[in-house]
Each structure stands twice: as structure tokens, then as C-alpha cells.
């Protein structure tokens, strides 16, 4: 022990985990006072990191105040029933882990530890949380799962920086609407295994939410505001009381996993068939049939239907392979629906859209069968958003050159073959450009250079050589699926602001180690490629990377059991493969 304490006085870090300790040695609390002969007292440093996990410690003394420089304190997996008030005097403490103890309360003094960034008090015997926690304004990650907490103090509305909240396995009956609205930076919310009977309307304010787990509650409906969770990738609502789904579910364009098992659903809405899901669990509901449009959900890898009173589908289809079921459902679509024939252009539709654009500054003419844009729609040249998707337009209208205020331009699913370089030079404020699923012949090497403010770019479905991307330093979303790419473009690796990168349905055989430089990534889609192994460096992207999709690859280096456990398990596995240095 003396040797370990001596090393701690030199490094400022002390690890006494897994030592069968029943109490903390007094020398730990008075580390600097125990400087022995032969030690240079002037070189000794105060403890800033103290690990006491996996022991049998019953008491943490008030002498803890003698360690004011602590930034990390881990005393998880012990036998504590109380925390000392002195924890509030650790003003530099950033990480506190007291999980897996027998704590019955958290002292109010915790509110004075205002530097706290991460606090884990899960797996204890807590019935409430102190209001003073709301004073910890830097809180990013809070975990209090598997306790008996009935409600959250309103003071937690002050956690404006919160990104992760885990309250699984408590007795919460409600989540305050105002509180949820204040957590605008939340990326992960787990309130599963509680007694919640509703989802607050303000859930729609969480535009950065990536993972939402509310399974095993008493929730009877999902609010229409859910459409505001625009980058939600995983949504778990199994074991609730849902009887229907809102149409707005179809707006969750990034949703990959949707768990609805063990509810009371009688139908699956056609609007939700627009989703690009990988996993859809509808088992143990009250479904008697499925909309044929589900057959068009070609990204679906697992569709679970067992435990439903299906009348319109043979049992062999219900329990058989998902691709077989999807093919059958597609065959039931009428020829007109299959071809996706465009709605005929109606003059009153165009007139209404044009009038609306004068006040809203947004013009939407999607899916009207247009081959050219009627000249009368350009009554206002200060529009900020133009949607011309799902038409048959062959040339980008030259009138766009006068729309210098344009910020969002959606040209998806048209017949555009030529890159409009001259027009783009007149659009300095463009932040979103979608040209996916067009028969573009080529893009000039410097074709994207004028668009330096772009934050979203979608070129999916164009089999062209990519132009230089290095000028797009503000880019946050990049979609390059189904472009026959054989390698990850090197330019992508310097786009350090990227949050979403979609490289699915290509011919990639490997992922470069340089992917670790994309530290802001929240979502990475590598599905449906030829990748046989993943670089351990991907592990560096944890915990920011919340959704990693690798299904549809011949991965041999990672066991199926790990892949099935999802993003966190894969990243932790890869991180463990990194060299220790």
C-alpha cells in the first residue's frame, strides 16, 4: 500500500479498485501529509483522480474535503448507504460514479460541486434526487437508472447542456413538458421501465435526439410533435399501450430501428412506409394485415410480426425471411403505384404554392410531373427554400440565379444531367443542396467551390466521379449512398464538422483509419457494402457516434452477437482492440 500511495503522490492518480477494502485507508485522505523519507515533498501533488471501485467500502468519510483537487471520483460497486456532505466541497469534480451501492439519498450539498459534467448514481436505493442538482449547470451526462425515483426535480430545467439522460428502471409517472423543452441538446434519452403514461409535446424540440428508449411504460399515444426529432435513429416503444401511430412518424427520415412490440396496434400507417428502417418490430400487437407499401421499404433487414392475428398473410410469410415477405407485399401494389406515376399538374396547385411563397418565402412544387418550372412561379425572388423534387425536370431553371437569398434547394428525383455551375455561383447563402437520384453526367472538379456555406449535401444515386469536397468546411450532413464508390473519398476525412455521413449501398471494401478524425459524427451508415472488417480506430468516435449501421456487409472480424447489440457494443469492442498506448 505504501508503494501505491507514494506513486499516487507523484502522479496525482490513485487506483485502489478490486482490493477487498472494507474502509478507505486514512492515508488516502491525508495523502500529502504522509510524505516519507527519501521523497521530495516539493514534488508531491494532490490527488486529482481516485478510483475505489469494486470493494466492500461502507463509509466515505467527511475527510473527503481534504482532497479539493479531485476531478474524478469512482466509488462504484461498494456498500455505501450515504455520501458525505463534504462531496459539495469538491469544486473541481467533473466525474462522479457512485453506481451499484446502497445509497438511500444524495446530500443537498452536491449542488455545490458545480463543475460536475458526468454523474452516475444508478443501481442504488434512491427515491428522490436533491433539487440542488439543478445548480450543476455543466452537467452533460446523468445516469440514475434502476432506483425507485418517482419524479425529477423541476430544477433540472437548468441543465441546458445535457446530452445524455438515463432514468431506466425507476417509478417515474411523468416527464415535465417544460423540463424536456429545456434539454435542447439532448442526443440520448432513456426512460424505459417506468410508469409513464404519456410523452410530452415538447419532445419535438429535441432536434438533435438520436436515441429514444421508452419501452415498458404505460404510454398510449405518440404526440405528432415527434416529427421534430429530425435525426432520430433509434426509437424503442415496445411494451406500452399504443393503439395507433401518428402520420408524422413518416417524417423521421433517419430512423433505422423502430421497436413497437407488445402494444395494441391495429394497423401500420402508410405514411410510415416512407421510412428507411433496418429493423421494425411489430410482434405481439393486434395487426390483422399490413399495407402493401411496406414492400417498398427495401432497406428493411428484419421485420418481426409473430404474435399478431394476421388474416391476409400466410403464416409461412409471417414467420419466414423478411425479403420474401417484402417481395410478396410489393407484388400486391397496383402497377400505377409500383411505377410511382406522377400526379398530373394542376394549375390551381401551382397558383396556391406561388401565392403562399410570397409570404412564407418557401416554394414547394414536388411530385407534380413537371418537365420545366412554369415562369409564373417566380413572382418572388427572395425565397429561402425551393423544393422541386420528384418531377421530370431536365435543367435547373436559370431564374434561380436571381434568388440570392436561397438557403435550401431540393432537386431530388428528377432528370437533371448537367451540373449548373453558373447558377450555383449566384447562390452564396445555400446551406442545403439535394441532387440525389438524378442522371448527372459529371460534376466539375471545382463544381462545389462556390458553395462554401453548405451544411447538407446529398448526391446519392448519381454514378459520377466525386468533385473536390475540401472547400465544404461547414458541411454537417453528407449523403453518398448508391454511387458505386469503391473507397471512402479522402476529402471526406477533413470535413471535421460532419455529423451525418451516409455511404450505404456502395462497393466499399474497407474503412480508412483516418475516419477517427471525424470526431463530431453522430451517425455513420456503412450498410450494404463489401466491408469485411472495421478499423479499431472507429472506437475513437465513441461516445459521440450514436448510430453506426453496418448490416449487409460480409463482416468476419466481429461476432454476430456483438453486431446484434448495436452501436455502443460495436464501438466498445473496437476500442478494446486499440493498442494500449
Amino acid at each position: 500500500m505504501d508503494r501505491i500511495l507514494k506513486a499516487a503522490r507523484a502522479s496525482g492518480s490513485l487506483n485502489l479498485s478490486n482490493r477487498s477494502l472494507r474502509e478507505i485507508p486514512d492515508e488516502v485522505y491525508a495523502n500529502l501529509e504522509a510524505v516519507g523519507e527519501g521523497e521530495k515533498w516539493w514534488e508531491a501533488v494532490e490527488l486529482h483522480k481516485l478510483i475505489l471501485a469494486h470493494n466492500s467500502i461502507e463509509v466515505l468519510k467527511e475527510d473527503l474535503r481534504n482532497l479539493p483537487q479531485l476531478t474524478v471520483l469512482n466509488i462504484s460497486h461498494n456498500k455505501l448507504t450515504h455520501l458525505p456532505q463534504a462531496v459539495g466541497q469538491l469544486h473541481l469534480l467533473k466525474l462522479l460514479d457512485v453506481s451499484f451501492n446502497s445509497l438511500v439519498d444524495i446530500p443537498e450539498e452536491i449542488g455545490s460541486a458545480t463543475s460536475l459534467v458526468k454523474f452516475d448514481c444508478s443501481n442504488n436505493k434512491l427515491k428522490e434526487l436533491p433539487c440542488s442538482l439543478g445548480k450543476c449547470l455543466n452537467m452533460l451526462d446523468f445516469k440514475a437508472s434502476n432506483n425507485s425515483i418517482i419524479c425529477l426535480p423541476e430544477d433540472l430545467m437548468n441543465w441546458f447542456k445535457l446530452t445524455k439522460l438515463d432514468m431506466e428502471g425507476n417509478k417515474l409517472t411523468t416527464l415535465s413538458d417544460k423540463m424536456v423543452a429545456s434539454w435542447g441538446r439532448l442526443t440520448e434519452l432513456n426512460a424505459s421501465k417506468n410508469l409513464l403514461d404519456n410523452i410530452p409535446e415538447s419532445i419535438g424540440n429535441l432536434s438533435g435526439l438520436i436515441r429514444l428508449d421508452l419501452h415498458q411504460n404505460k404510454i398510449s399515444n405518440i404526440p405528432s410533435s415527434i416529427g421534430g426529432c429530425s435525426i432520430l435513429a433509434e426509437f424503442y416503444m415496445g411494451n406500452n399501450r399504443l393503439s395507433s401511430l401518428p402520420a408524422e412518424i413518416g417524417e423521421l427520415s433517419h430512423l433505422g430501428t423502430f421497436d413497437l412490440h407488445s402494444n395494441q396496434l391495429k394497423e401500420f400507417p402508410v405514411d410510415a412506409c416512407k421510412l428507411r428502417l433496418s429493423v421494425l418490430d411489430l410482434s405481439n400487437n393486434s395487426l390483422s394485415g399490413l399495407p402493401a407499401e411496406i414492400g417498398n421499404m427495401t432497406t428493411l433487414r428484419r421485420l418481426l410480426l409473430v404474435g399478431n392475428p394476421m388474416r391476409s398473410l400466410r403464416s409461412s410469410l409471417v414467420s419466414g425471411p423478411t425479403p420474401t415477405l417484402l417481395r410478396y407485399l410489393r407484388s400486391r401494389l397496383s402497377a400505377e403505384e409500383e411505377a410511382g406515376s406522377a400526379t398530373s399538374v394542376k394549375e390551381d396547385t401551382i397558383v396556391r404554392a406561388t401565392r403562399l411563397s410570397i409570404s412564407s418565402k418557401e416554394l414547394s412544387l414536388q411530385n407534380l410531373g413537371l418537365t420545366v418550372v412554369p415562369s409564373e412561379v417566380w413572382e418572388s425572388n427572395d425565397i429561402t427554400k425551393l423544393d422541386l423534387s420528384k418531377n421530370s425536370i431536365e435543367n435547373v431553371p436559370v431564374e434561380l440565379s436571381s434568388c440570392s437569398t436561397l438557403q435550401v434547394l431540393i432537386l431530388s428525383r428528377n432528370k437533371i444531367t448537367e451540373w449548373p455551375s453558373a447558377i450555383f455561383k449566384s447562390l452564396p447563402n445555400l446551406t442545403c443542396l439535394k441532387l440525389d437520384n438524378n442522371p448527372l453526367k459529371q460534376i466539375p472538379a471545382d463544381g462545389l467551390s462556390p458553395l462554401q456555406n453548405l451544411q447538407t449535401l446529398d448526391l446519392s444515386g448519381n454514378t459520377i466521379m466525386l468533385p473536390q469536397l475540401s472547400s465544404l468546411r461547414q458541411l454537417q450532413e453528407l449523403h453518398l449512398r448508391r454511387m458505386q464508390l469503391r473507397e471512402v473519398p479522402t476529402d471526406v476525412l477533413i470535413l471535421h464538422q460532419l455529423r451525418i455521413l451516409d455511404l450505404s449501398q456502395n462497393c466499399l471494401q474497407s474503412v480508412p483509419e483516418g475516419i477517427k478524425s471525424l470526431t463530431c459524427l453522430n451517425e455513420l451508415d456503412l450498410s450494404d457494402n463489401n466491408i469485411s472488417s472495421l478499423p479499431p480506430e472507429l472506437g475513437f468516435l465513441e461516445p459521440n457516434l450514436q448510430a453506426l449501421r453496418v448490416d449487409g456487409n460480409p463482416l468476419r472480424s466481429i461476432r454476430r452477437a456483438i453486431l446484434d447489440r448495436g452501436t455502443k457494443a460495436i464501438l466498445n469492442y473496437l476500442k478494446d482492440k486499440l493498442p494500449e498506448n
Side-chain angles (χ1 to χ4, degrees):
M1 181 66 72
D2 289 342
R3 180 178 57 82
I4 295 173
L5 293 172
K6 181 178 179 180
R9 285 191 286 274
S11 66
S13 179
L14 177 59
N15 188 341
L16 294 177
S17 59
N18 283 300
R19 291 181 175 271
S20 302
L21 298 177
R22 293 186 175 277
E23 60 181 18
I24 302 171
D26 289 338
E27 293 87 346
V28 172
Y29 297 113
N31 195 38
L32 289 186
E33 296 176 14
V35 174
E37 288 186 25
E39 290 185 68
K40 298 175 181 178
W41 60 265
W42 58 90
E43 291 182 355
V45 295
E46 292 196 48
L47 279 182
H48 58 80
K49 184 175 183 180
L50 178 57
I51 311 296
L52 298 162
H54 295 279
N55 283 292
S56 299
I57 298 168
E58 297 181 356
V59 176
L60 186 59
K61 296 181 180 179
E62 293 291 343
D63 292 340
L64 189 65
R65 65 170 63 90
N66 297 331
L67 303 174
Q69 298 298 313
L70 275 185
T71 60
V72 175
L73 174 58
N74 184 343
I75 193 165
S76 61
H77 296 270
N78 277 282
K79 297 182 179 180
L80 298 178
T81 56
H82 297 279
L83 288 179
Q85 297 176 2
V87 73
Q89 297 180 36
L90 304 181
H91 301 302
L92 301 180
L93 193 64
K94 291 186 176 182
L95 188 154
L96 176 59
D97 189 346
V98 295
S99 60
F100 292 93
N101 278 281
S102 298
L103 295 174
V104 294
D105 59 18
I106 303 290
E108 283 288 341
E109 287 76 11
I110 192 73
S112 298
T114 53
S115 294
L116 265 183
V117 171
K118 184 174 182 178
F119 183 20
D120 188 348
C121 56
S122 57
N123 294 279
N124 279 284
K125 298 179 180 180
L126 301 174
K127 293 184 178 180
E128 61 181 4
L129 296 171
C131 296
S132 62
L133 265 177
K135 297 177 182 178
C136 300
L137 303 182
N138 293 304
M139 190 70 73
L140 297 177
D141 188 340
F142 181 70
K143 187 173 183 178
S145 56
N146 299 312
N147 282 286
S148 299
I149 299 168
I150 297 173
C151 66
L152 297 176
E154 289 292 320
D155 303 73
L156 302 193
M157 283 196 300
N158 297 325
W159 284 356
F160 301 118
K161 298 180 181 180
L162 192 67
T163 59
K164 294 183 181 180
L165 177 65
D166 187 350
M167 294 299 301
E168 177 182 0
N170 280 282
K171 297 181 179 180
L172 299 177
T173 56
T174 184
L175 289 175
S176 159
D177 201 62
K178 290 183 179 179
M179 197 180 306
V180 171
S182 69
W183 296 333
R185 297 186 184 181
L186 210 59
T187 62
E188 188 171 332
L189 172 58
N190 185 352
S192 59
K193 300 180 182 178
N194 277 279
L195 303 172
L196 300 174
D197 58 10
N198 69 78
I199 302 175
E201 282 287 336
S202 58
I203 196 74
N205 292 3
L206 306 184
S207 58
L209 195 63
I210 293 173
R211 189 176 191 273
L212 178 58
D213 190 346
L214 298 173
H215 82 269
Q216 204 168 322
N217 277 284
K218 299 180 178 181
I219 299 168
S220 56
N221 73 288
I222 299 173
S224 58
S225 61
I226 193 67
C229 301
S230 56
I231 64 170
L232 191 64
E234 299 178 21
F235 192 8
Y236 300 92
M237 285 296 298
N239 268 307
N240 275 285
R241 299 177 180 178
L242 300 175
S243 57
S244 63
L245 299 174
E248 288 77 9
I249 282 290
E251 298 172 11
L252 302 178
S253 59
H254 290 86
L255 196 61
T257 299
F258 197 11
D259 183 358
L260 293 162
H261 80 274
S262 304
N263 277 281
Q264 300 164 17
L265 296 174
K266 295 181 179 178
E267 63 178 7
F268 187 74
V270 173
D271 291 304
C273 296
K274 298 181 293 184
L275 297 173
R276 295 182 66 246
L277 296 176
S278 296
V279 178
L280 174 60
D281 191 345
L282 293 170
S283 57
N284 298 308
N285 276 278
S286 301
L287 299 170
S288 57
L290 290 176
E293 287 79 2
I294 282 185
N296 287 331
M297 299 176 73
T298 54
T299 58
L300 210 53
R301 294 288 170 265
R302 294 179 65 200
L303 174 57
L304 305 177
L305 296 168
V306 294
N308 282 285
M310 289 288 180
R311 300 186 186 92
S312 58
L313 292 174
R314 299 190 307 273
S315 59
S316 59
L317 283 171
V318 171
S319 58
T322 296
T324 303
L325 175 57
L326 296 181
R327 281 196 298 272
Y328 172 78
L329 291 172
R330 279 198 298 274
S331 71
R332 288 170 48 190
L333 288 168
S334 70
E336 183 179 355
E337 290 172 322
E338 186 101 43
S341 21
T343 309
S344 59
V345 179
K346 294 183 180 179
E347 188 175 341
D348 57 339
T349 303
I350 295 175
V351 170
R352 277 199 307 272
T354 303
R355 288 175 179 169
L356 184 62
S357 72
I358 296 174
S359 57
S360 69
K361 309 301 181 188
E362 297 185 1
L363 179 58
S364 178
L365 297 175
Q366 61 172 318
N367 204 21
L368 291 176
L370 299 174
T371 55
V372 295
V373 181
S375 57
E376 59 266 27
V377 307
W378 303 106
E379 291 185 17
S380 172
N381 61 6
D382 59 349
I383 57 174
T384 59
K385 179 179 180 180
L386 175 61
D387 187 349
L388 296 172
S389 61
K390 299 180 183 177
N391 284 291
S392 298
I393 297 168
E394 296 182 0
N395 296 297
V396 178
V398 294
E399 289 86 352
L400 274 177
S401 299
S402 303
C403 301
S404 59
T405 57
L406 193 65
Q407 297 174 13
V408 177
L409 177 57
I410 304 176
L411 297 166
S412 312
R413 298 185 183 278
N414 277 284
K415 297 182 178 180
I416 298 167
T417 58
E418 301 295 330
W419 184 262
S421 295
I423 293 174
F424 286 155
K425 289 177 181 178
S426 305
L427 303 177
N429 295 307
L430 204 63
T431 60
C432 174
L433 174 61
K434 296 187 178 183
L435 261 165
D436 54 289
N437 296 288
N438 279 281
L440 285 172
K441 294 178 182 176
Q442 64 173 1
I443 302 178
D446 61 349
L448 293 170
S449 299
L451 305 177
Q452 295 186 11
N453 291 318
L454 269 190
Q455 296 178 16
T456 300
L457 175 62
D458 193 343
L459 296 173
S460 302
N462 288 289
T463 53
I464 51 172
M465 183 177 294
L466 276 177
Q468 296 173 2
L469 300 170
S470 54
S471 60
L472 306 181
R473 296 305 177 97
Q474 305 301 316
L475 204 62
Q476 297 182 23
E477 291 189 31
L478 179 58
H479 301 270
L480 302 174
R481 65 181 175 276
R482 213 167 58 257
M483 292 187 68
Q484 298 184 15
L485 298 176
R486 296 191 175 277
E487 59 183 22
V488 178
T490 53
D491 279 3
V492 169
L493 304 180
I494 63 172
L495 303 178
H496 297 148
Q497 301 300 316
L498 274 185
R499 292 187 298 106
I500 297 172
L501 177 57
D502 185 353
L503 295 167
S504 61
Q505 301 179 50
N506 279 290
C507 305
L508 302 178
Q509 296 184 5
S510 63
V511 180
E513 294 179 4
I515 197 81
K516 67 183 180 183
S517 65
L518 303 182
T519 54
C520 293
L521 268 189
N522 293 146
E523 182 176 341
L524 176 59
D525 194 341
L526 298 170
S527 58
D528 298 306
N529 278 281
N530 296 321
I531 300 168
S532 58
S533 64
L534 297 175
E537 286 76 12
L538 258 180
F540 284 122
L541 301 184
E542 199 273 337
N544 283 341
L545 187 59
Q546 298 293 313
L548 172 63
R549 296 177 185 164
V550 293
D551 48 292
N553 282 286
L555 287 170
R556 302 182 185 92
S557 58
I558 305 179
R559 296 193 309 275
R560 172 53 56 184
I562 295 174
L563 294 173
D564 288 344
R565 280 161 51 201
T567 299
K568 283 188 176 181
I570 296 172
L571 293 179
N572 285 330
Y573 172 82
L574 292 171
K575 191 186 293 184
D576 288 342
K577 294 291 182 182
L578 288 165
E580 290 191 9
N581 60 354

